[in-house]
Amino acid sequence: MVDQSVLSITNHGSDSSTRVLSKGFTDWVFDCHGFWHNAVLILSSFLFVLYLALQARKSFVKLTNGRSYIIISYYASLWLVSILNLAWCFSQAWECSPGKELTWNLLSLFTSSGMLFLEVSLLAFLLQGNNATGVDALTRTFGISGIIVGFDVLLKAIYLFAFGVPLFIDTDYSTPRVKWNLWVIHKLVLTVVYGFILFMYHSRWRERLPARPAFYKYVIIMFIVNAIALFACGLTGSGAAFAFWFYRVTVVCYHAFYLPLLYITFLADFFQEEDFHMENVYYSEMKDAGFFESDWD
């Protein structure tokens, strides 16, 4: 009788543990924002980190031979931010879990700031020219990016921890309007910057920009994404529930596809080409595409 009771208790405890694990897995995959939202984020971020890992040995050889301080530092930063973003994507359930608000906000703050650092650094580097490889160029690039991102982190930290504004809790659109006002300003600044660069590409100042087709396409994509996010944040702050869906789509697209886009734009040529000085090739490509047509007439 005792053995049967012990066995019954043991089986009951095992069943309870199984149910808890099953419920935890179900909450992690299906709850909060839903299956497809979580699946897109997790799969895309995981596959990109896996790709970086598979290419790590080859990339290390290229970095050693190239001896570019900018590329080495940027590649290391990309690895760090990619791992942070992977952790953020795997932790979506924390956004809807009571007691996890602080952890989620800190992880989101570090992840978004790391991605913004890469974004600003890319613009700062490319505006100096593709052959900027010295320590001075590295200092200027990361110095400018560090100041901008540092101010952004400070501002968001004040909103989060001083005023209690749930910047990274997006389970409901009916959050304080001050949150959406901040995101409107954030997206407006980025949209204006990318729009100004596009204007330069179609003006007499275009020769001051790197003649790199991938960079031009990158700017167009980022301008469109930020313009949509700006529109969505503005409408959501005004109480339009449907706009909140557009905002969530831009968040998913940014975390799922921005890092691969950045890699293709900035690092892919470095790791694939034997000649690292590709400026003349880029100019030839732009000329063949008719980009400088008015200059050649």
Side-chain angles (χ1 to χ4, degrees):
M1 179 68 67
V2 175
D3 293 340
Q4 290 180 352
S5 301
V6 172
L7 182 59
S8 176
I9 295 173
T10 302
N11 290 335
H12 178 72
S14 178
D15 292 340
S16 299
S17 300
T18 302
R19 284 195 295 269
V20 169
L21 291 175
S22 178
K23 185 179 184 304
F25 178 79
T26 302
D27 293 344
W28 175 61
V29 176
F30 294 99
D31 284 2
C32 203
H33 298 294
F35 172 76
W36 289 112
H37 174 281
N38 297 337
V40 170
L41 286 173
I42 292 172
L43 285 177
S44 59
S45 59
F46 174 77
L47 289 176
F48 181 64
V49 172
L50 179 62
Y51 174 80
L52 289 179
L54 294 175
Q55 296 292 320
R57 183 176 180 180
K58 178 181 177 182
S59 300
F60 180 77
V61 174
K62 293 282 188 178
L63 290 171
T64 304
N65 295 333
R67 299 181 182 278
S68 170
Y69 298 109
I70 285 286
I71 299 295
I72 293 173
S73 300
Y74 204 77
Y75 181 71
S77 300
L78 178 65
W79 256 110
L80 176 61
V81 175
S82 297
I83 293 173
L84 271 175
N85 187 58
L86 180 63
W88 184 87
C89 293
F90 267 96
S91 305
Q92 290 296 296
W94 289 0
E95 188 175 359
C96 309
S97 302
K100 293 286 187 178
E101 292 87 355
L102 177 61
T103 306
W104 173 254
N105 283 327
L106 286 175
L107 179 60
S108 299
L109 179 62
F110 283 120
T111 303
S112 61
S113 299
M115 296 179 73
L116 180 63
F117 178 81
L118 292 177
E119 190 173 349
V120 175
S121 298
L122 174 60
L123 295 176
F125 172 75
L126 289 177
L127 289 175
Q128 296 181 69
N130 293 305
N131 294 324
T133 58
V135 177
D136 291 340
L138 174 65
T139 304
R140 287 194 301 270
T141 300
F142 282 8
I144 294 171
S145 305
I147 292 173
I148 294 175
V149 175
F151 175 77
D152 182 76
V153 171
L154 178 62
L155 182 62
K156 290 176 180 175
I158 292 174
Y159 270 74
L160 279 170
F161 305 116
F163 300 134
V165 179
L167 290 180
F168 301 109
I169 305 294
D170 295 326
T171 54
D172 187 4
Y173 75 93
S174 58
T175 50
R177 184 165 182 172
V178 65
K179 163 186 173 176
W180 299 111
N181 291 340
L182 177 63
W183 285 130
V184 165
I185 295 173
H186 189 273
K187 302 303 179 183
L188 177 62
V189 171
L190 290 173
T191 303
V192 169
V193 170
Y194 286 113
F196 177 72
I197 295 175
L198 287 178
F199 169 77
M200 289 184 66
Y201 262 113
H202 296 281
S203 70
R204 55 183 178 146
W205 298 297
R206 59 189 172 187
E207 291 186 359
R208 298 184 181 182
L209 297 173
R212 186 171 183 177
F215 177 45
Y216 179 66
K217 295 174 183 177
Y218 166 86
V219 172
I220 292 177
I221 293 172
M222 295 306 297
F223 174 78
I224 294 173
V225 170
N226 282 286
I228 294 174
L230 172 62
F231 176 75
C233 289
L235 288 181
T236 304
S238 300
F242 74 92
F244 181 68
W245 183 84
F246 284 103
Y247 171 73
R248 287 303 308 173
V249 169
T250 61
V251 172
V252 171
C253 290
Y254 186 70
H255 283 274
F257 305 116
Y258 176 70
L259 294 176
L261 173 65
L262 184 146
Y263 180 87
I264 293 171
T265 301
F266 187 57
L267 293 174
D269 287 335
F270 182 89
F271 291 127
Q272 292 175 3
E273 299 291 342
E274 294 298 330
D275 181 8
F276 302 125
H277 304 288
M278 299 295 295
E279 187 73 18
N280 293 332
V281 175
Y282 295 136
Y283 271 106
S284 298
E285 291 177 356
M286 298 296 281
K287 177 185 173 183
D288 294 339
F291 192 81
F292 300 114
E293 190 174 13
S294 59
D295 295 337
W296 297 102
D297 290 338

